Amino acid sequence: MDYGAFTDASLKMMYEAIRGALKADDEFEANGEDPKFRVRSTPEWKRHAGSLEAEMLKRGLQLEIIDWTGGQGELPLTTDP
């Protein structure tokens, strides 16, 4: 896909659509249902998001990078030394 051909607004919209599909999948799974979009399990989603990120960063657009870990990659905060 030629991401350079898209407007800034189009890139942002596609990126936010991926974020929305990921959130919806997480909500389906939290309710014991199968994810409808299978965003985490389909590598093409992540490649598409990466290509969008690269183009947006190239243009100097600000974006909040999608967290693909779903919080699983975060270490718990501790106050113990």
Coordinates of all heavy atoms in Angstrom, one line a residue:
M1 N 0.9 -1.2 0.0 CA 0.0 0.0 0.0 C 0.9 1.2 0.0 O 1.9 1.3 0.7 CB -0.9 0.0 1.2 CG -1.9 1.0 1.2 SD -3.1 1.0 2.7 CE -3.9 -0.5 2.5
D2 N 0.6 2.2 -0.8 CA 1.3 3.5 -0.8 C 0.8 4.4 0.2 O -0.1 5.2 0.0 CB 1.2 4.1 -2.2 CG 2.0 5.3 -2.4 OD1 2.8 5.7 -1.5 OD2 1.8 6.0 -3.4
Y3 N 1.4 4.3 1.4 CA 0.9 5.2 2.5 C 1.2 6.6 2.3 O 0.5 7.5 2.8 CB 1.6 4.7 3.8 CG 1.1 3.3 4.3 CD1 1.7 2.2 3.9 CD2 -0.1 3.2 5.0 CE1 1.3 0.9 4.3 CE2 -0.6 2.0 5.4 CZ 0.1 0.8 5.0 OH -0.4 -0.4 5.4
G4 N 2.2 6.9 1.5 CA 2.5 8.3 1.1 C 1.4 9.0 0.4 O 1.3 10.2 0.3
A5 N 0.5 8.2 -0.2 CA -0.6 8.8 -1.0 C -1.8 9.3 -0.2 O -2.6 10.0 -0.7 CB -1.1 7.8 -2.0
F6 N -1.8 8.9 1.1 CA -2.9 9.2 1.9 C -2.7 10.6 2.6 O -1.5 11.0 2.9 CB -3.1 8.2 3.0 CG -3.6 6.9 2.5 CD1 -2.8 5.8 2.2 CD2 -5.0 6.7 2.2 CE1 -3.2 4.6 1.7 CE2 -5.4 5.5 1.7 CZ -4.6 4.5 1.4
T7 N -3.8 11.3 2.9 CA -3.7 12.5 3.7 C -3.4 12.2 5.1 O -3.5 11.1 5.6 CB -5.0 13.3 3.6 OG1 -6.0 12.5 4.3 CG2 -5.5 13.6 2.2
D8 N -2.9 13.2 5.9 CA -2.6 13.1 7.3 C -3.9 12.6 8.0 O -3.8 11.7 8.8 CB -2.2 14.4 7.9 CG -0.9 14.9 7.4 OD1 -0.2 14.2 6.6 OD2 -0.5 16.0 7.8
A9 N -5.0 13.1 7.7 CA -6.2 12.7 8.4 C -6.6 11.3 8.1 O -7.1 10.6 9.0 CB -7.4 13.6 8.0
S10 N -6.3 10.8 6.9 CA -6.6 9.4 6.5 C -5.7 8.5 7.3 O -6.2 7.4 7.7 CB -6.4 9.2 5.0 OG -7.4 10.0 4.3
L11 N -4.4 8.8 7.4 CA -3.5 8.0 8.1 C -4.0 7.9 9.6 O -4.0 6.8 10.1 CB -2.1 8.6 8.1 CG -1.4 8.6 6.7 CD1 -0.1 9.4 6.8 CD2 -1.2 7.2 6.2
K12 N -4.3 9.0 10.2 CA -4.8 9.0 11.6 C -6.0 8.2 11.8 O -6.2 7.4 12.7 CB -5.0 10.4 12.1 CG -3.7 11.2 12.3 CD -4.0 12.6 12.7 CE -2.7 13.4 12.9 NZ -3.0 14.8 13.3
M13 N -7.0 8.3 10.8 CA -8.2 7.6 10.9 C -8.0 6.1 10.8 O -8.5 5.3 11.6 CB -9.2 8.0 9.8 CG -10.5 7.4 9.8 SD -10.7 5.7 9.0 CE -10.0 6.0 7.4
M14 N -7.1 5.6 9.9 CA -6.8 4.2 9.8 C -6.1 3.7 11.0 O -6.4 2.6 11.5 CB -5.9 3.9 8.5 CG -6.7 4.1 7.2 SD -5.7 3.5 5.8 CE -4.6 5.0 5.6
Y15 N -5.2 4.5 11.6 CA -4.5 4.1 12.8 C -5.5 3.9 14.0 O -5.4 2.9 14.7 CB -3.4 5.0 13.1 CG -2.4 4.5 14.1 CD1 -1.5 3.5 13.8 CD2 -2.3 5.1 15.4 CE1 -0.6 3.0 14.7 CE2 -1.4 4.6 16.3 CZ -0.5 3.6 15.9 OH 0.4 3.1 16.8
E16 N -6.4 4.9 14.1 CA -7.3 4.8 15.2 C -8.3 3.7 15.0 O -8.8 3.1 16.0 CB -8.1 6.2 15.4 CG -7.1 7.2 15.9 CD -6.5 6.8 17.2 OE1 -7.1 6.3 18.1 OE2 -5.2 7.1 17.4
A17 N -8.6 3.3 13.8 CA -9.5 2.2 13.5 C -8.8 0.9 14.0 O -9.5 0.0 14.5 CB -9.8 2.1 12.0
I18 N -7.5 0.8 13.8 CA -6.8 -0.4 14.3 C -6.9 -0.4 15.8 O -7.2 -1.5 16.5 CB -5.3 -0.4 13.9 CG1 -5.2 -0.6 12.4 CG2 -4.5 -1.5 14.6 CD1 -3.9 -0.3 11.8
R19 N -6.7 0.7 16.5 CA -6.8 0.8 17.9 C -8.2 0.4 18.4 O -8.4 -0.3 19.4 CB -6.5 2.2 18.4 CG -6.4 2.4 19.9 CD -6.3 3.8 20.4 NE -5.2 4.6 19.7 CZ -3.9 4.5 19.9 NH1 -3.5 3.7 20.9 NH2 -3.1 5.3 19.3
G20 N -9.2 0.9 17.7 CA -10.6 0.5 18.0 C -10.9 -1.0 17.9 O -11.5 -1.5 18.7
A21 N -10.4 -1.6 16.8 CA -10.6 -3.0 16.6 C -9.9 -3.8 17.7 O -10.4 -4.8 18.2 CB -10.1 -3.4 15.2
L22 N -8.7 -3.4 18.1 CA -7.9 -4.0 19.2 C -8.7 -3.9 20.5 O -8.8 -4.9 21.2 CB -6.5 -3.4 19.3 CG -5.6 -4.0 20.3 CD1 -5.3 -5.4 19.9 CD2 -4.3 -3.2 20.3
K23 N -9.2 -2.7 20.8 CA -10.0 -2.5 22.0 C -11.2 -3.4 22.0 O -11.6 -4.0 23.0 CB -10.4 -1.1 22.2 CG -11.1 -0.8 23.4 CD -11.5 0.7 23.5 CE -12.3 0.9 24.8 NZ -12.8 2.2 24.9
A24 N -11.9 -3.5 20.9 CA -13.1 -4.3 20.7 C -12.8 -5.8 21.0 O -13.5 -6.5 21.7 CB -13.8 -4.1 19.4
D25 N -11.7 -6.2 20.4 CA -11.3 -7.6 20.6 C -11.0 -7.9 22.1 O -11.4 -8.9 22.6 CB -10.0 -7.9 19.8 CG -10.3 -8.4 18.4 OD1 -11.4 -8.5 18.0 OD2 -9.3 -8.6 17.6
D26 N -10.3 -7.0 22.7 CA -10.0 -7.2 24.1 C -11.3 -7.2 25.0 O -11.4 -8.0 25.9 CB -9.1 -6.0 24.6 CG -7.7 -6.1 24.1 OD1 -7.3 -7.2 23.6 OD2 -7.0 -5.1 24.3
E27 N -12.3 -6.4 24.6 CA -13.6 -6.4 25.3 C -14.3 -7.7 25.1 O -14.9 -8.3 26.0 CB -14.4 -5.2 24.9 CG -13.8 -3.9 25.5 CD -14.5 -2.7 25.0 OE1 -15.5 -2.8 24.2 OE2 -14.1 -1.6 25.4
F28 N -14.3 -8.2 23.8 CA -15.0 -9.5 23.5 C -14.3 -10.6 24.4 O -15.0 -11.4 25.0 CB -14.8 -9.8 22.0 CG -15.7 -9.1 21.1 CD1 -15.2 -8.3 20.1 CD2 -17.1 -9.1 21.3 CE1 -16.0 -7.6 19.2 CE2 -17.9 -8.3 20.5 CZ -17.4 -7.6 19.4
E29 N -13.0 -10.6 24.4 CA -12.3 -11.7 25.2 C -12.6 -11.5 26.7 O -12.8 -12.5 27.4 CB -10.8 -11.6 24.9 CG -10.5 -12.2 23.6 CD -9.0 -12.3 23.3 OE1 -8.2 -11.4 23.8 OE2 -8.6 -13.2 22.7
A30 N -12.7 -10.3 27.2 CA -13.0 -10.1 28.6 C -14.4 -10.6 29.0 O -14.6 -11.0 30.1 CB -12.9 -8.6 28.9
N31 N -15.2 -10.6 28.0 CA -16.6 -11.1 28.2 C -16.7 -12.6 27.8 O -17.8 -13.1 27.7 CB -17.6 -10.3 27.3 CG -17.8 -8.9 27.9 OD1 -17.7 -8.6 29.1 ND2 -17.9 -7.9 27.0
G32 N -15.6 -13.3 27.6 CA -15.6 -14.7 27.3 C -16.0 -15.0 25.9 O -16.3 -16.2 25.6
E33 N -16.0 -14.0 25.0 CA -16.3 -14.3 23.6 C -15.0 -14.3 22.8 O -14.0 -13.9 23.2 CB -17.2 -13.1 23.1 CG -18.5 -13.0 23.8 CD -19.2 -11.8 23.3 OE1 -19.5 -11.7 22.1 OE2 -19.6 -10.9 24.2
D34 N -15.1 -14.9 21.6 CA -14.0 -14.9 20.6 C -13.8 -13.5 20.1 O -14.8 -12.8 19.8 CB -14.3 -15.9 19.5 CG -14.2 -17.3 19.9 OD1 -13.5 -17.6 20.9 OD2 -14.9 -18.1 19.2
P35 N -12.6 -13.1 19.9 CA -12.4 -11.7 19.3 C -12.9 -11.7 17.8 O -12.7 -12.7 17.1 CB -10.8 -11.6 19.3 CG -10.3 -12.9 19.5 CD -11.4 -13.8 20.2
K36 N -13.6 -10.7 17.5 CA -14.2 -10.6 16.1 C -13.2 -10.2 15.0 O -13.3 -10.6 13.9 CB -15.3 -9.5 16.1 CG -16.4 -9.8 17.2 CD -17.1 -11.1 16.9 CE -18.3 -11.2 17.9 NZ -18.4 -12.6 18.4
F37 N -12.1 -9.4 15.4 CA -11.2 -8.9 14.4 C -9.9 -9.6 14.4 O -9.1 -9.6 13.5 CB -11.0 -7.4 14.6 CG -12.2 -6.6 14.6 CD1 -12.8 -6.1 15.8 CD2 -12.9 -6.3 13.4 CE1 -14.0 -5.4 15.7 CE2 -14.0 -5.6 13.4 CZ -14.6 -5.1 14.5
R38 N -9.6 -10.3 15.5 CA -8.3 -11.1 15.7 C -7.1 -10.3 15.4 O -6.2 -10.7 14.8 CB -8.3 -12.4 14.8 CG -9.5 -13.3 15.2 CD -9.5 -14.5 14.4 NE -9.7 -14.2 13.0 CZ -9.7 -15.0 12.0 NH1 -9.5 -16.3 12.3 NH2 -9.9 -14.6 10.8
V39 N -7.1 -9.0 16.0 CA -6.0 -8.1 15.7 C -4.7 -8.6 16.3 O -3.7 -8.6 15.6 CB -6.4 -6.7 16.3 CG1 -5.2 -5.7 16.1 CG2 -7.6 -6.2 15.7
R40 N -4.7 -9.1 17.5 CA -3.5 -9.6 18.2 C -2.9 -10.8 17.5 O -1.7 -11.0 17.5 CB -3.7 -9.9 19.6 CG -3.8 -8.6 20.5 CD -3.8 -8.9 22.0 NE -4.4 -7.8 22.7 CZ -3.8 -6.7 23.0 NH1 -2.6 -6.5 22.5 NH2 -4.4 -5.7 23.7
S41 N -3.8 -11.6 16.9 CA -3.3 -12.9 16.4 C -3.1 -12.9 14.9 O -2.7 -13.9 14.3 CB -4.3 -14.0 16.7 OG -5.6 -13.7 16.1
T42 N -3.3 -11.8 14.2 CA -3.1 -11.6 12.8 C -2.0 -10.7 12.5 O -2.1 -9.5 12.7 CB -4.4 -11.1 12.1 OG1 -5.5 -12.0 12.5 CG2 -4.3 -11.2 10.6
P43 N -0.8 -11.2 12.1 CA 0.4 -10.3 11.9 C 0.2 -9.2 10.9 O 0.8 -8.1 11.1 CB 1.4 -11.3 11.4 CG 1.0 -12.7 11.7 CD -0.5 -12.6 11.8
E44 N -0.7 -9.3 10.0 CA -1.0 -8.2 9.0 C -1.5 -7.0 9.7 O -1.2 -5.9 9.2 CB -1.9 -8.7 7.9 CG -1.3 -9.7 6.9 CD -1.2 -11.1 7.5 OE1 -1.7 -11.4 8.6 OE2 -0.4 -11.9 6.8
W45 N -2.2 -7.1 10.8 CA -2.7 -5.9 11.5 C -1.5 -5.1 12.0 O -1.5 -3.9 11.9 CB -3.6 -6.3 12.7 CG -5.0 -6.6 12.4 CD1 -5.6 -7.8 12.2 CD2 -6.1 -5.6 12.1 NE1 -7.0 -7.7 12.0 CE2 -7.3 -6.4 11.9 CE3 -6.1 -4.3 12.1 CZ2 -8.5 -5.7 11.6 CZ3 -7.3 -3.6 11.9 CH2 -8.5 -4.4 11.6
K46 N -0.6 -5.9 12.7 CA 0.6 -5.2 13.2 C 1.5 -4.6 12.2 O 2.0 -3.5 12.3 CB 1.4 -6.2 14.1 CG 2.3 -5.5 15.1 CD 2.8 -6.6 16.1 CE 3.4 -5.9 17.3 NZ 3.9 -6.8 18.3
R47 N 1.6 -5.2 11.0 CA 2.4 -4.7 9.9 C 1.8 -3.4 9.4 O 2.4 -2.4 9.1 CB 2.6 -5.7 8.8 CG 3.7 -6.7 9.0 CD 4.0 -7.4 7.8 NE 3.1 -8.4 7.4 CZ 3.0 -9.7 7.9 NH1 4.0 -10.1 8.8 NH2 2.1 -10.5 7.6
H48 N 0.4 -3.5 9.2 CA -0.3 -2.3 8.8 C -0.1 -1.1 9.7 O 0.2 0.0 9.3 CB -1.8 -2.7 8.6 CG -2.7 -1.6 8.1 ND1 -2.4 -0.8 7.1 CD2 -3.9 -1.2 8.6 CE1 -3.4 0.1 6.9 NE2 -4.3 -0.1 7.8
A49 N -0.2 -1.4 11.0 CA -0.1 -0.3 12.0 C 1.3 0.2 12.0 O 1.6 1.4 12.1 CB -0.4 -0.9 13.4
G50 N 2.3 -0.7 11.8 CA 3.7 -0.2 11.8 C 4.0 0.7 10.6 O 4.7 1.7 10.7
S51 N 3.4 0.3 9.4 CA 3.6 1.1 8.2 C 2.9 2.5 8.4 O 3.5 3.5 8.0 CB 3.0 0.4 7.0 OG 3.7 -0.8 6.8
L52 N 1.7 2.5 9.0 CA 1.1 3.8 9.3 C 1.9 4.6 10.3 O 2.1 5.8 10.0 CB -0.3 3.5 9.9 CG -1.4 3.0 9.0 CD1 -2.6 2.5 9.7 CD2 -1.8 4.0 7.9
E53 N 2.4 4.0 11.3 CA 3.3 4.7 12.3 C 4.5 5.3 11.6 O 4.8 6.5 11.8 CB 3.8 3.8 13.4 CG 2.7 3.4 14.3 CD 3.1 2.2 15.2 OE1 4.3 1.7 15.1 OE2 2.3 1.8 16.1
A54 N 5.1 4.5 10.7 CA 6.3 5.0 10.0 C 6.0 6.2 9.2 O 6.8 7.2 9.2 CB 6.9 3.9 9.2
E55 N 4.9 6.2 8.5 CA 4.5 7.3 7.6 C 4.2 8.5 8.4 O 4.6 9.7 8.1 CB 3.4 6.9 6.7 CG 3.0 8.0 5.7 CD 4.0 8.4 4.7 OE1 4.9 7.5 4.3 OE2 4.0 9.5 4.2
M56 N 3.4 8.3 9.5 CA 3.1 9.5 10.3 C 4.3 10.1 11.0 O 4.4 11.3 11.0 CB 2.0 9.1 11.4 CG 0.7 8.8 10.8 SD -0.7 8.5 12.0 CE -0.3 6.9 12.6
L57 N 5.2 9.3 11.5 CA 6.4 9.8 12.1 C 7.3 10.6 11.0 O 7.9 11.6 11.3 CB 7.2 8.7 12.7 CG 6.6 8.1 14.0 CD1 7.3 6.9 14.5 CD2 6.5 9.2 15.1
K58 N 7.3 10.0 9.8 CA 8.1 10.7 8.7 C 7.5 12.1 8.4 O 8.3 13.0 8.2 CB 7.9 9.8 7.5 CG 8.7 10.3 6.3 CD 8.6 9.2 5.2 CE 8.1 9.9 3.9 NZ 7.9 8.9 2.8
R59 N 6.2 12.2 8.6 CA 5.6 13.5 8.4 C 5.6 14.4 9.6 O 5.1 15.5 9.5 CB 4.1 13.3 8.0 CG 3.9 12.6 6.6 CD 2.5 12.5 6.3 NE 2.3 11.6 5.1 CZ 1.2 11.5 4.5 NH1 0.1 12.3 4.8 NH2 1.1 10.7 3.4
G60 N 6.1 13.9 10.7 CA 6.1 14.7 11.9 C 4.8 14.8 12.7 O 4.6 15.7 13.5
L61 N 3.9 13.8 12.4 CA 2.6 13.8 13.0 C 2.8 13.2 14.4 O 3.5 12.2 14.6 CB 1.6 13.0 12.2 CG 1.4 13.5 10.8 CD1 0.4 12.6 10.1 CD2 0.8 14.9 10.8
Q62 N 2.1 13.7 15.4 CA 2.1 13.2 16.7 C 1.1 12.0 16.8 O 0.0 12.1 16.2 CB 1.8 14.2 17.8 CG 2.9 15.2 17.9 CD 2.7 16.0 19.2 OE1 1.7 16.0 19.9 NE2 3.8 16.7 19.6
L63 N 1.5 11.0 17.5 CA 0.6 9.8 17.7 C 0.9 9.1 19.0 O 2.1 9.2 19.5 CB 0.7 8.9 16.5 CG 2.0 8.1 16.3 CD1 1.7 6.7 15.8 CD2 2.9 8.8 15.4
E64 N 0.0 8.5 19.5 CA 0.1 7.6 20.6 C 0.3 6.2 20.1 O -0.7 5.6 19.5 CB -1.1 7.7 21.6 CG -0.9 6.8 22.8 CD -2.1 6.9 23.7 OE1 -2.8 8.0 23.7 OE2 -2.4 5.9 24.4
I65 N 1.5 5.6 20.3 CA 1.8 4.3 19.8 C 0.8 3.2 20.4 O 0.6 3.3 21.6 CB 3.2 3.9 20.0 CG1 4.2 4.9 19.3 CG2 3.5 2.5 19.5 CD1 4.1 5.0 17.8
I66 N 0.3 2.3 19.6 CA -0.6 1.3 20.1 C 0.2 0.3 21.0 O 1.3 -0.1 20.7 CB -1.2 0.5 18.9 CG1 -2.1 1.4 18.2 CG2 -1.9 -0.8 19.4 CD1 -2.7 0.8 16.9
D67 N -0.4 0.0 22.2 CA 0.2 -1.0 23.1 C -0.3 -2.4 22.7 O -1.4 -2.7 22.9 CB -0.2 -0.7 24.5 CG 0.3 -1.7 25.5 OD1 1.1 -2.5 25.2 OD2 -0.2 -1.6 26.7
W68 N 0.6 -3.1 22.1 CA 0.3 -4.5 21.6 C 0.3 -5.5 22.7 O -0.1 -6.6 22.5 CB 1.2 -4.9 20.5 CG 0.9 -4.1 19.3 CD1 1.6 -3.0 18.9 CD2 -0.1 -4.3 18.3 NE1 1.1 -2.5 17.7 CE2 0.0 -3.2 17.3 CE3 -1.1 -5.2 18.1 CZ2 -0.8 -3.1 16.2 CZ3 -2.0 -5.1 17.1 CH2 -1.8 -4.0 16.1
T69 N 0.8 -5.1 23.9 CA 1.0 -6.1 25.0 C -0.3 -6.3 25.8 O -0.5 -7.3 26.5 CB 2.1 -5.7 26.0 OG1 1.7 -4.5 26.6 CG2 3.4 -5.5 25.3
G70 N -1.2 -5.4 25.7 CA -2.4 -5.5 26.5 C -2.1 -5.4 27.9 O -2.9 -6.0 28.7
G71 N -1.0 -4.8 28.3 CA -0.6 -4.7 29.7 C 0.2 -5.9 30.2 O 0.7 -5.9 31.3
Q72 N 0.3 -6.9 29.3 CA 1.0 -8.1 29.7 C 2.5 -7.9 29.9 O 3.2 -8.6 30.6 CB 0.7 -9.2 28.7 CG -0.7 -9.7 28.8 CD -1.0 -10.7 27.7 OE1 -0.1 -11.2 27.0 NE2 -2.2 -11.0 27.5
G73 N 3.1 -6.9 29.2 CA 4.5 -6.7 29.2 C 5.0 -5.8 30.3 O 6.1 -5.5 30.4
E74 N 4.0 -5.3 31.1 CA 4.4 -4.3 32.1 C 4.8 -5.0 33.4 O 4.1 -6.0 33.8 CB 3.2 -3.4 32.3 CG 2.8 -2.6 31.1 CD 1.5 -1.8 31.3 OE1 1.0 -1.8 32.4 OE2 1.1 -1.2 30.4
L75 N 5.8 -4.5 34.1 CA 6.2 -5.0 35.4 C 5.3 -4.3 36.4 O 5.1 -3.1 36.3 CB 7.6 -4.8 35.6 CG 8.6 -5.5 34.7 CD1 10.0 -5.1 34.9 CD2 8.5 -7.0 34.9
P76 N 5.0 -5.1 37.5 CA 4.2 -4.4 38.5 C 5.1 -3.4 39.3 O 6.3 -3.6 39.4 CB 3.8 -5.5 39.4 CG 4.7 -6.7 39.1 CD 5.2 -6.5 37.7
L77 N 4.5 -2.3 39.7 CA 5.2 -1.3 40.4 C 5.4 -1.8 41.9 O 4.4 -2.3 42.5 CB 4.5 0.0 40.4 CG 4.4 0.7 39.0 CD1 3.6 2.0 39.2 CD2 5.8 1.1 38.5
T78 N 6.6 -1.6 42.4 CA 6.8 -2.0 43.8 C 7.4 -0.8 44.5 O 8.1 0.0 43.9 CB 7.7 -3.3 43.9 OG1 9.0 -2.9 43.4 CG2 7.1 -4.5 43.2
T79 N 7.2 -0.8 45.8 CA 7.8 0.3 46.6 C 8.9 -0.3 47.5 O 9.5 0.4 48.2 CB 6.7 0.9 47.5 OG1 6.1 -0.1 48.3 CG2 5.7 1.7 46.7
D80 N 9.1 -1.6 47.4 CA 10.2 -2.2 48.2 C 11.5 -1.9 47.6 O 11.7 -2.0 46.4 CB 10.0 -3.8 48.3 CG 8.7 -4.1 49.0 OD1 8.2 -3.3 49.8 OD2 8.1 -5.2 48.7
P81 N 12.5 -1.7 48.4 CA 13.9 -1.4 47.9 C 14.5 -2.7 47.3 O 14.3 -3.7 47.6 CB 14.7 -0.8 49.0 CG 13.8 -1.0 50.3 CD 12.5 -1.4 49.8

